Amino acid sequence: MGFKIGLLGLGTVGTGTAEILLTPAGRHPLLTEIEIAKVGVRSPDKPRDVKLSPGLMTSDLESIVTDPEIDIIVELIGGLEPARSLILKAINRGKHIVTANKAVISRYGDEIYTAANQAGVYVLLEASVAGGIPVIQPLKQSLGVNRIHSVIGIVNGTTNYILTRMSAEGVDFADVLAEAQELGYAEADPTADVDGLDAADKIAILASLAFGGRIKLSEVNCEGIRQVSAADIAYAENLGFVIKLLAIAERHQSNNLQVRVHPTLVPKTHPLASINGVNNAIFIEGEPLGQVMFFGPGAGKGATASAVVSDILNLVGILKNSGNNGQIHPLYSCSHQDYCTVAPIAELVTRFYCRFICQDSPGVIGQLGTGFGKHDVSLESVVQIGFKNNCAEVVVVTHDVLEGKVRAALKEIGSQDAIADIPSILRVL
Ligand code: HSE
């Protein structure tokens, strides 16, 4: 056996990873040169679904990352600590890292990659974004010659499942969430998924690769799907859109880089509009390639383990070829030194969909038009779509406009007596 792995975590993805490594027949021949040397778990005596010798199990994770025999640490425990400390300790001992931990990388990528570059080791993270879909290595390698204009992803399966069901059944967010939790599709604490935080971690990582600099997570504008109602989904449908939680990183003609997560009206003709259920997809546009879309399972045991083991395989391939000589392969490393400048959301130029609840009296639609016009906001359509509690419900779609101008207009319009409420303000792709 050539290469020794220390596996931290034997949950769903850890089990899938071990299963692939223990059944190499029919896969890449290099897998036969990889040995699981130790497995770090909370309860070493717990019965497991995968056949590993009990002698490999330990609850002492530090002993794995400091073991001089181990070449590669596969971190699958998730969360921030002790994952961050264990990764750093392993790097300082000259070990290479494979991780699925988007939360650690999006927050501590600077510290981790600086340490890795100093130690001459790799940190590979294909599984951290969109589970089994290859997108990290493609961005680094196959798409590396392109000037990337935009990366637009449906990178959270839970929210895509909820929005797909809301759309198919005409039901509200809270009802689908409760059922998804009962079925185990959504976490008991769904915050990271439904408030967009998981997608924000992922787009920060993708943006960093696409635009060649580190991204401060605090600069990613992040809005979740709690505010999306069955009514908006129905109105969007009538206007020719579906609503998706998109994670977007794009460089505008003004050279502004925008990195954001929010529910978005997607034209039904756009390839991302047809991505349903728990599936993920990442739509990338660059020059000279044009458009390309990666689609597939964004989570799950086998899919995520496939990405983890592909990173292990890549590492073994590099190490076998070059030896562990401290020379870093530029197509597998992270060489960013600087942070990207991310523009504030007020500088975004996009179309908006706004829903108003207002008095059904003469001149109200005129008032809306005047309110927008005062702030230089040009309207594409204004439709009175119905009545709610004796009030008219009006939907406005704007032309492309600076977000700051729309916000200023809405603030002023919202303070008028004729406007009872503005329940939805959504961006349009
Ligand atoms: N919670 C994530 C999702 C999966 O719903 O897509 C792990 O990244």
Side-chain angles (χ1 to χ4, degrees), residues 1-35:
M1 283 284 184
F3 297 89
K4 289 194 161 61
I5 304 290
L7 191 55
L8 307 182
L10 199 58
T12 307
V13 180
T15 301
T17 298
E19 282 171 357
I20 296 174
L21 290 171
L22 295 174
T23 56
R27 312 188 200 278
H28 197 287
L30 270 183
L31 289 185
T32 57
E33 300 189 29
I34 302 167
E35 177 192 350

Side-chain angles (χ1 to χ4, degrees), residues 357-361 364 367 391 413 415-421:
I357 309 291
C358 42
Q359 281 173 12
D360 189 28
S361 50
V364 172
Q367 250 175 277
C391 282
I413 292 168
S415 68
Q416 293 171 3
D417 289 345
I419 308 300
D421 194 13

